[in-house]
Structure formats: structure tokens, C-alpha cells
CSV table of all heavy atoms in Angstrom, one decimal:
chain,number,residue,atom,x,y,z
A,72,CYS,N,-28.6,-47.9,99.4
A,72,CYS,CA,-29.3,-47.0,100.3
A,72,CYS,C,-28.3,-45.9,100.8
A,72,CYS,O,-28.7,-44.7,100.9
A,72,CYS,CB,-29.8,-47.8,101.5
A,72,CYS,SG,-31.2,-48.9,101.1
A,73,LEU,N,-27.1,-46.2,101.1
A,73,LEU,CA,-26.2,-45.2,101.7
A,73,LEU,C,-25.8,-44.2,100.6
A,73,LEU,O,-25.6,-43.0,101.0
A,73,LEU,CB,-24.9,-45.9,102.2
A,73,LEU,CG,-25.1,-46.8,103.5
A,73,LEU,CD1,-23.9,-47.7,103.7
A,73,LEU,CD2,-25.4,-45.9,104.7
A,74,THR,N,-25.6,-44.6,99.4
A,74,THR,CA,-25.1,-43.7,98.4
A,74,THR,C,-26.2,-42.8,97.7
A,74,THR,O,-25.9,-41.8,97.2
A,74,THR,CB,-24.3,-44.4,97.3
A,74,THR,OG1,-25.2,-45.4,96.7
A,74,THR,CG2,-23.1,-45.0,97.8
A,75,THR,N,-27.4,-43.3,97.7
A,75,THR,CA,-28.5,-42.6,97.0
A,75,THR,C,-29.4,-41.8,98.0
A,75,THR,O,-30.2,-41.1,97.6
A,75,THR,CB,-29.4,-43.6,96.2
A,75,THR,OG1,-30.1,-44.5,97.1
A,75,THR,CG2,-28.6,-44.3,95.2
A,76,ARG,N,-29.2,-42.0,99.3
A,76,ARG,CA,-30.0,-41.3,100.3
A,76,ARG,C,-29.1,-40.4,101.2
A,76,ARG,O,-28.7,-40.8,102.3
A,76,ARG,CB,-30.7,-42.3,101.2
A,76,ARG,CG,-31.6,-43.3,100.4
A,76,ARG,CD,-33.0,-42.7,100.2
A,76,ARG,NE,-33.6,-42.0,101.3
A,76,ARG,CZ,-34.2,-42.6,102.3
A,76,ARG,NH1,-34.4,-43.9,102.3
A,76,ARG,NH2,-34.7,-41.9,103.3
A,77,PRO,N,-28.8,-39.2,100.8
A,77,PRO,CA,-27.9,-38.3,101.6
A,77,PRO,C,-28.6,-37.9,102.9
A,77,PRO,O,-27.9,-37.5,103.8
A,77,PRO,CB,-27.7,-37.1,100.7
A,77,PRO,CG,-28.7,-37.1,99.7
A,77,PRO,CD,-29.1,-38.5,99.5
A,78,ASP,N,-29.9,-38.1,103.0
A,78,ASP,CA,-30.6,-37.7,104.2
A,78,ASP,C,-30.7,-38.9,105.2
A,78,ASP,O,-31.3,-38.8,106.3
A,78,ASP,CB,-32.1,-37.3,103.9
A,78,ASP,CG,-32.9,-38.4,103.3
A,78,ASP,OD1,-32.3,-39.3,102.6
A,78,ASP,OD2,-34.1,-38.4,103.5
A,79,LEU,N,-30.1,-40.0,104.9
A,79,LEU,CA,-30.2,-41.2,105.7
A,79,LEU,C,-29.5,-41.1,107.0
A,79,LEU,O,-28.3,-40.7,107.1
A,79,LEU,CB,-29.6,-42.4,104.9
A,79,LEU,CG,-29.9,-43.8,105.4
A,79,LEU,CD1,-31.4,-44.1,105.3
A,79,LEU,CD2,-29.2,-44.9,104.7
A,80,HIS,N,-30.3,-41.4,108.1
A,80,HIS,CA,-29.7,-41.3,109.4
A,80,HIS,C,-29.7,-42.7,110.1
A,80,HIS,O,-28.9,-43.0,111.0
A,80,HIS,CB,-30.5,-40.4,110.3
A,80,HIS,CG,-30.4,-39.0,109.9
A,80,HIS,ND1,-29.3,-38.2,109.9
A,80,HIS,CD2,-31.3,-38.1,109.3
A,80,HIS,CE1,-29.5,-37.0,109.5
A,80,HIS,NE2,-30.8,-36.9,109.1
A,81,ASP,N,-30.7,-43.6,109.6
A,81,ASP,CA,-30.8,-44.9,110.2
A,81,ASP,C,-31.0,-45.9,109.1
A,81,ASP,O,-31.9,-45.8,108.3
A,81,ASP,CB,-32.0,-44.9,111.1
A,81,ASP,CG,-31.9,-44.0,112.3
A,81,ASP,OD1,-31.2,-44.5,113.3
A,81,ASP,OD2,-32.4,-42.9,112.3
A,82,LEU,N,-30.2,-47.0,109.2
A,82,LEU,CA,-30.4,-48.1,108.3
A,82,LEU,C,-30.7,-49.3,109.2
A,82,LEU,O,-30.0,-49.6,110.1
A,82,LEU,CB,-29.1,-48.4,107.5
A,82,LEU,CG,-29.1,-49.6,106.6
A,82,LEU,CD1,-30.2,-49.4,105.5
A,82,LEU,CD2,-27.8,-49.9,106.0
A,83,ARG,N,-31.9,-49.9,108.9
A,83,ARG,CA,-32.4,-51.0,109.7
A,83,ARG,C,-32.3,-52.3,108.9
A,83,ARG,O,-32.7,-52.3,107.7
A,83,ARG,CB,-33.9,-50.7,110.1
A,83,ARG,CG,-34.1,-49.3,110.8
A,83,ARG,CD,-35.4,-49.2,111.4
A,83,ARG,NE,-35.4,-49.9,112.7
A,83,ARG,CZ,-35.1,-49.2,113.8
A,83,ARG,NH1,-34.8,-48.0,113.8
A,83,ARG,NH2,-35.1,-49.9,115.0
A,84,LEU,N,-31.8,-53.3,109.5
A,84,LEU,CA,-31.8,-54.6,109.0
A,84,LEU,C,-32.8,-55.5,109.8
A,84,LEU,O,-32.5,-55.8,110.9
A,84,LEU,CB,-30.4,-55.2,109.0
A,84,LEU,CG,-29.3,-54.4,108.4
A,84,LEU,CD1,-28.0,-55.2,108.5
A,84,LEU,CD2,-29.6,-54.2,106.9
A,85,ASP,N,-33.9,-55.8,109.2
A,85,ASP,CA,-34.9,-56.6,109.9
A,85,ASP,C,-34.7,-58.1,109.6
A,85,ASP,O,-34.8,-58.5,108.5
A,85,ASP,CB,-36.3,-56.2,109.4
A,85,ASP,CG,-37.4,-57.0,110.0
A,85,ASP,OD1,-37.2,-57.8,110.9
A,85,ASP,OD2,-38.6,-56.9,109.5
A,86,CYS,N,-34.3,-58.8,110.7
A,86,CYS,CA,-33.9,-60.2,110.5
A,86,CYS,C,-35.0,-61.1,111.0
A,86,CYS,O,-34.7,-62.3,111.2
A,86,CYS,CB,-32.6,-60.4,111.3
A,86,CYS,SG,-31.2,-59.4,110.8
A,87,THR,N,-36.2,-60.7,111.1
A,87,THR,CA,-37.3,-61.5,111.6
A,87,THR,C,-37.4,-62.9,110.9
A,87,THR,O,-37.5,-63.9,111.5
A,87,THR,CB,-38.6,-60.8,111.5
A,87,THR,OG1,-38.5,-59.5,112.2
A,87,THR,CG2,-39.7,-61.6,112.1
A,88,ALA,N,-37.3,-62.8,109.6
A,88,ALA,CA,-37.5,-64.0,108.8
A,88,ALA,C,-36.1,-64.7,108.3
A,88,ALA,O,-36.2,-65.5,107.4
A,88,ALA,CB,-38.3,-63.7,107.6
A,89,LEU,N,-35.0,-64.3,108.9
A,89,LEU,CA,-33.7,-64.9,108.6
A,89,LEU,C,-33.7,-66.3,109.2
A,89,LEU,O,-34.0,-66.5,110.3
A,89,LEU,CB,-32.6,-64.0,109.1
A,89,LEU,CG,-31.2,-64.2,108.6
A,89,LEU,CD1,-31.2,-63.9,107.1
A,89,LEU,CD2,-30.2,-63.4,109.3
A,90,ARG,N,-33.3,-67.3,108.3
A,90,ARG,CA,-33.3,-68.7,108.8
A,90,ARG,C,-31.9,-69.2,109.0
A,90,ARG,O,-31.7,-70.2,109.7
A,90,ARG,CB,-34.0,-69.5,107.7
A,90,ARG,CG,-35.4,-69.2,107.5
A,90,ARG,CD,-36.3,-69.5,108.7
A,90,ARG,NE,-37.6,-68.9,108.6
A,90,ARG,CZ,-38.1,-68.0,109.5
A,90,ARG,NH1,-37.4,-67.7,110.6
A,90,ARG,NH2,-39.2,-67.5,109.4
A,91,PHE,N,-30.9,-68.6,108.4
A,91,PHE,CA,-29.5,-69.1,108.5
A,91,PHE,C,-28.6,-67.9,108.2
A,91,PHE,O,-28.9,-67.0,107.4
A,91,PHE,CB,-29.3,-70.2,107.5
A,91,PHE,CG,-27.9,-70.7,107.4
A,91,PHE,CD1,-27.5,-71.6,108.3
A,91,PHE,CD2,-27.1,-70.3,106.4
A,91,PHE,CE1,-26.2,-72.1,108.3
A,91,PHE,CE2,-25.8,-70.8,106.3
A,91,PHE,CZ,-25.3,-71.7,107.3
A,92,CYS,N,-27.4,-68.0,108.8
A,92,CYS,CA,-26.4,-67.0,108.5
A,92,CYS,C,-25.0,-67.7,108.8
A,92,CYS,O,-24.7,-68.2,109.8
A,92,CYS,CB,-26.5,-65.8,109.5
A,92,CYS,SG,-25.3,-64.5,109.1
A,93,ASP,N,-24.2,-67.7,107.7
A,93,ASP,CA,-22.8,-68.3,107.9
A,93,ASP,C,-21.8,-67.2,108.1
A,93,ASP,O,-22.1,-66.0,108.2
A,93,ASP,CB,-22.5,-69.2,106.7
A,93,ASP,CG,-22.3,-68.5,105.4
A,93,ASP,OD1,-22.3,-67.2,105.3
A,93,ASP,OD2,-22.1,-69.2,104.3
A,94,THR,N,-20.5,-67.5,108.0
A,94,THR,CA,-19.5,-66.5,108.2
A,94,THR,C,-19.5,-65.4,107.2
A,94,THR,O,-19.1,-64.3,107.5
A,94,THR,CB,-18.1,-67.2,108.2
A,94,THR,OG1,-17.9,-67.9,107.0
A,94,THR,CG2,-18.0,-68.2,109.4
A,95,MET,N,-19.9,-65.7,106.0
A,95,MET,CA,-19.9,-64.7,104.9
A,95,MET,C,-21.1,-63.7,105.3
A,95,MET,O,-21.0,-62.5,105.0
A,95,MET,CB,-20.1,-65.3,103.5
A,95,MET,CG,-18.9,-65.9,103.0
A,95,MET,SD,-17.5,-64.8,102.9
A,95,MET,CE,-18.0,-63.7,101.6
A,96,GLY,N,-22.1,-64.2,105.8
A,96,GLY,CA,-23.2,-63.3,106.3
A,96,GLY,C,-22.8,-62.4,107.4
A,96,GLY,O,-23.1,-61.2,107.3
A,97,ILE,N,-22.0,-62.9,108.3
A,97,ILE,CA,-21.5,-62.1,109.4
A,97,ILE,C,-20.5,-61.1,108.8
A,97,ILE,O,-20.5,-59.9,109.2
A,97,ILE,CB,-20.8,-63.0,110.5
A,97,ILE,CG1,-21.8,-63.9,111.2
A,97,ILE,CG2,-20.1,-62.1,111.5
A,97,ILE,CD1,-23.0,-63.2,111.9
A,98,SER,N,-19.7,-61.5,107.9
A,98,SER,CA,-18.8,-60.6,107.2
A,98,SER,C,-19.5,-59.5,106.5
A,98,SER,O,-19.1,-58.3,106.6
A,98,SER,CB,-17.9,-61.4,106.2
A,98,SER,OG,-17.0,-60.5,105.6
A,99,ALA,N,-20.6,-59.8,105.9
A,99,ALA,CA,-21.4,-58.8,105.2
A,99,ALA,C,-22.0,-57.8,106.2
A,99,ALA,O,-22.0,-56.6,106.0
A,99,ALA,CB,-22.6,-59.4,104.4
A,100,LEU,N,-22.5,-58.3,107.4
A,100,LEU,CA,-23.0,-57.4,108.4
A,100,LEU,C,-21.9,-56.4,108.9
A,100,LEU,O,-22.1,-55.2,109.1
A,100,LEU,CB,-23.6,-58.2,109.6
A,100,LEU,CG,-24.8,-59.0,109.3
A,100,LEU,CD1,-25.2,-59.8,110.5
A,100,LEU,CD2,-26.0,-58.2,108.8
A,101,LEU,N,-20.7,-57.0,109.1
A,101,LEU,CA,-19.6,-56.1,109.5
A,101,LEU,C,-19.2,-55.1,108.5
A,101,LEU,O,-18.8,-54.0,108.8
A,101,LEU,CB,-18.4,-57.0,109.9
A,101,LEU,CG,-18.6,-57.9,111.2
A,101,LEU,CD1,-17.5,-58.9,111.3
A,101,LEU,CD2,-18.8,-57.1,112.4
A,102,MET,N,-19.2,-55.5,107.2
A,102,MET,CA,-18.9,-54.6,106.1
A,102,MET,C,-19.9,-53.4,106.1
A,102,MET,O,-19.5,-52.3,106.0
A,102,MET,CB,-18.9,-55.3,104.8
A,102,MET,CG,-18.4,-54.4,103.7
A,102,MET,SD,-18.3,-55.4,102.1
A,102,MET,CE,-17.1,-56.7,102.5
A,103,ILE,N,-21.2,-53.8,106.3
A,103,ILE,CA,-22.2,-52.7,106.3
A,103,ILE,C,-22.0,-51.8,107.5
A,103,ILE,O,-22.1,-50.6,107.4
A,103,ILE,CB,-23.6,-53.4,106.3
A,103,ILE,CG1,-23.8,-54.1,105.0
A,103,ILE,CG2,-24.7,-52.4,106.6
A,103,ILE,CD1,-25.0,-55.0,105.0
A,104,HIS,N,-21.6,-52.4,108.6
A,104,HIS,CA,-21.3,-51.6,109.8
A,104,HIS,C,-20.2,-50.6,109.5
A,104,HIS,O,-20.3,-49.4,109.9
A,104,HIS,CB,-21.0,-52.5,111.0
A,104,HIS,CG,-20.5,-51.7,112.2
A,104,HIS,ND1,-19.2,-51.4,112.5
A,104,HIS,CD2,-21.3,-51.1,113.2
A,104,HIS,CE1,-19.1,-50.7,113.5
A,104,HIS,NE2,-20.4,-50.5,114.0
A,105,ARG,N,-19.1,-51.0,108.9
A,105,ARG,CA,-18.0,-50.1,108.6
A,105,ARG,C,-18.5,-49.0,107.7
A,105,ARG,O,-18.2,-47.8,107.9
A,105,ARG,CB,-16.9,-50.9,107.9
A,105,ARG,CG,-16.1,-51.7,108.9
A,105,ARG,CD,-14.8,-52.2,108.3
A,105,ARG,NE,-15.0,-53.1,107.1
A,105,ARG,CZ,-15.2,-54.4,107.2
A,105,ARG,NH1,-15.2,-55.0,108.4
A,105,ARG,NH2,-15.4,-55.1,106.1
A,106,ARG,N,-19.3,-49.3,106.7
A,106,ARG,CA,-19.8,-48.3,105.8
A,106,ARG,C,-20.8,-47.3,106.4
A,106,ARG,O,-20.8,-46.1,106.1
A,106,ARG,CB,-20.4,-49.0,104.5
A,106,ARG,CG,-19.2,-49.7,103.8
A,106,ARG,CD,-19.7,-50.5,102.6
A,106,ARG,NE,-18.6,-51.2,102.0
A,106,ARG,CZ,-18.7,-52.0,101.0
A,106,ARG,NH1,-19.8,-52.2,100.4
A,106,ARG,NH2,-17.6,-52.5,100.5
A,107,THR,N,-21.7,-47.8,107.3
A,107,THR,CA,-22.6,-46.9,107.9
A,107,THR,C,-21.9,-46.0,108.9
A,107,THR,O,-22.2,-44.8,108.9
A,107,THR,CB,-23.7,-47.7,108.6
A,107,THR,OG1,-23.2,-48.6,109.6
A,107,THR,CG2,-24.6,-48.4,107.7
A,108,THR,N,-20.9,-46.5,109.6
A,108,THR,CA,-20.1,-45.7,110.5
A,108,THR,C,-19.4,-44.6,109.8
A,108,THR,O,-19.3,-43.5,110.2
A,108,THR,CB,-19.1,-46.6,111.3
A,108,THR,OG1,-19.9,-47.6,112.0
A,108,THR,CG2,-18.3,-45.8,112.2
A,109,ALA,N,-18.8,-45.0,108.6
A,109,ALA,CA,-18.1,-44.0,107.8
A,109,ALA,C,-19.0,-42.9,107.3
A,109,ALA,O,-18.5,-41.7,107.1
A,109,ALA,CB,-17.4,-44.6,106.6
A,110,ARG,N,-20.3,-43.1,107.2
A,110,ARG,CA,-21.2,-42.1,106.7
A,110,ARG,C,-22.1,-41.5,107.8
A,110,ARG,O,-23.0,-40.8,107.5
A,110,ARG,CB,-22.1,-42.7,105.6
A,110,ARG,CG,-21.4,-43.0,104.3
A,110,ARG,CD,-22.3,-43.5,103.3
A,110,ARG,NE,-21.7,-43.5,102.0
A,110,ARG,CZ,-20.9,-44.5,101.5
A,110,ARG,NH1,-20.6,-45.5,102.3
A,110,ARG,NH2,-20.4,-44.4,100.3
A,111,ASP,N,-21.7,-41.9,109.0
A,111,ASP,CA,-22.4,-41.3,110.2
A,111,ASP,C,-23.9,-41.7,110.2
A,111,ASP,O,-24.8,-40.9,110.5
A,111,ASP,CB,-22.3,-39.8,110.2
A,111,ASP,CG,-22.2,-39.2,111.6
A,111,ASP,OD1,-21.9,-40.0,112.6
A,111,ASP,OD2,-22.5,-38.0,111.8
A,112,VAL,N,-24.2,-43.0,109.9
A,112,VAL,CA,-25.5,-43.5,109.8
A,112,VAL,C,-25.6,-44.6,110.9
A,112,VAL,O,-24.7,-45.4,111.0
A,112,VAL,CB,-25.8,-44.1,108.5
A,112,VAL,CG1,-27.2,-44.9,108.5
A,112,VAL,CG2,-25.8,-43.1,107.4
A,113,ARG,N,-26.7,-44.6,111.7
A,113,ARG,CA,-26.9,-45.6,112.7
A,113,ARG,C,-27.3,-46.9,112.1
A,113,ARG,O,-28.2,-46.9,111.2
A,113,ARG,CB,-27.9,-45.2,113.8
A,113,ARG,CG,-27.4,-44.0,114.7
A,113,ARG,CD,-28.4,-43.7,115.7
A,113,ARG,NE,-29.6,-43.0,115.0
A,113,ARG,CZ,-29.9,-41.8,115.1
A,113,ARG,NH1,-29.3,-41.0,115.9
A,113,ARG,NH2,-31.0,-41.3,114.5
A,114,LEU,N,-26.8,-48.0,112.5
A,114,LEU,CA,-27.1,-49.3,111.9
A,114,LEU,C,-27.9,-50.1,113.0
A,114,LEU,O,-27.4,-50.3,114.1
A,114,LEU,CB,-25.9,-50.1,111.5
A,114,LEU,CG,-26.1,-51.5,110.9
A,114,LEU,CD1,-27.0,-51.5,109.7
A,114,LEU,CD2,-24.8,-52.2,110.6
A,115,HIS,N,-29.1,-50.5,112.7
A,115,HIS,CA,-29.9,-51.3,113.6
A,115,HIS,C,-30.1,-52.7,113.1
A,115,HIS,O,-30.3,-52.9,111.9
A,115,HIS,CB,-31.3,-50.6,113.6
A,115,HIS,CG,-31.3,-49.2,114.0
A,115,HIS,ND1,-31.5,-48.7,115.2
A,115,HIS,CD2,-31.1,-48.1,113.2
A,115,HIS,CE1,-31.5,-47.4,115.2
A,115,HIS,NE2,-31.2,-47.0,114.0
A,116,LEU,N,-30.0,-53.6,114.0
A,116,LEU,CA,-30.3,-55.0,113.7
A,116,LEU,C,-31.5,-55.4,114.4
A,116,LEU,O,-31.5,-55.6,115.7
A,116,LEU,CB,-29.1,-55.9,114.1
A,116,LEU,CG,-29.0,-57.3,113.6
A,116,LEU,CD1,-28.9,-57.3,112.1
A,116,LEU,CD2,-27.8,-58.0,114.2
A,117,ASP,N,-32.7,-55.4,113.7
A,117,ASP,CA,-34.0,-55.6,114.4
A,117,ASP,C,-34.4,-57.1,114.3
A,117,ASP,O,-34.2,-57.8,113.3
A,117,ASP,CB,-35.0,-54.8,113.7
A,117,ASP,CG,-34.8,-53.3,113.8
A,117,ASP,OD1,-34.1,-52.9,114.8
A,117,ASP,OD2,-35.2,-52.5,112.9
A,118,SER,N,-34.9,-57.6,115.4
A,118,SER,CA,-35.5,-58.9,115.6
A,118,SER,C,-34.5,-60.0,115.1
A,118,SER,O,-34.9,-60.9,114.4
A,118,SER,CB,-36.8,-59.0,114.8
A,118,SER,OG,-37.7,-58.0,115.3
């Protein structure tokens, strides 16, 4: 999404149906945060 959408301003992660998250899942969220911040994109964690 970040590399193919130069017009991207908001990346939303909808977690409504997420049932489990381990340390690798948290690490993935942090990695996405670093990448969105570097591209000046707001990262939303919904529900």
C-alpha cells in the first residue's frame, strides 16, 4: 500500500476480528509504524 499509492495519507488497520497477537504481531505493527512515519502517512489502529 505504501509503495504503490503515492497519494496515501492514511493507512488503517481494522482489528475488529483479530483474535490473538503475539510479540511478532506487535513487532509487525511497530515496523509498519516506522514505515508510515517515514512516508508521512498517518497510521490508524481501528477497533
